[in-house]
Amino acid sequence: MPYQLPPSPDVSTDVIVPGLLDDVDERLWVPQSEHVSFRPLLLSASQGYYVNLLRVRRSGVLSRHRHAGPVHAHVLRGRWFYLEHDWVAETGTYAYESPGEVHTLIVPDDVSEMITLFHVTGGLVYVDPYGVPIGYEDAHTKLALARRHYTDVGLGADHVDQFVR
Ligand code: FE
């Protein structure tokens, strides 16, 4: 028997994104750098975390960065590794990364496409090889990037709102 009381007006609505690996309108993928793009699944502006699909096509690099908060990763397609570690994340792998972790993500030459679901709390700071900050990323920069992209490709600035809580 389902819950019989009315939903609380203070509880925000669910976010449901079906078919994560389906071929979707390419415009939904937000370019982030050469060969790297993302699809927002949940951008928590209120709690400072984001969940997104990260896609790297052809062999690619995700610039060296340091995490302020914990990261959960689930590889949905392809394979990647960090220059700083000896383990490899393959399709089906789950990985937890601790706050303070610094790494450089590499997709090997023989992988044509990598898609991984990343849940990133806090933000990440791009750093040089000696830890000097050169950039940053968080739920708010992701939101701004997605809003600009969806506007540019004709989906509309409000397309991203469905993923924001
Ligand atoms: Fe990372």
Side-chain angles (χ1 to χ4, degrees), residues 62-63 65-67 71 82 97 101 103 105 118 120 124:
L62 189 68
S63 302
H65 56 272
R66 180 185 196 279
H67 285 278
V71 178
Y82 289 128
E97 304 162 10
E101 163 78 10
H103 50 222
L105 190 154
F118 278 102
V120 178
L124 54 91

Side-chain angles (χ1 to χ4, degrees), residues 51-70:
V51 181
N52 72 170
L53 295 181
L54 188 77
R55 185 183 74 185
V56 181
R57 280 189 166 161
R58 290 191 274 177
S59 59
V61 179
L62 189 68
S63 302
R64 182 187 321 100
H65 56 272
R66 180 185 196 279
H67 285 278

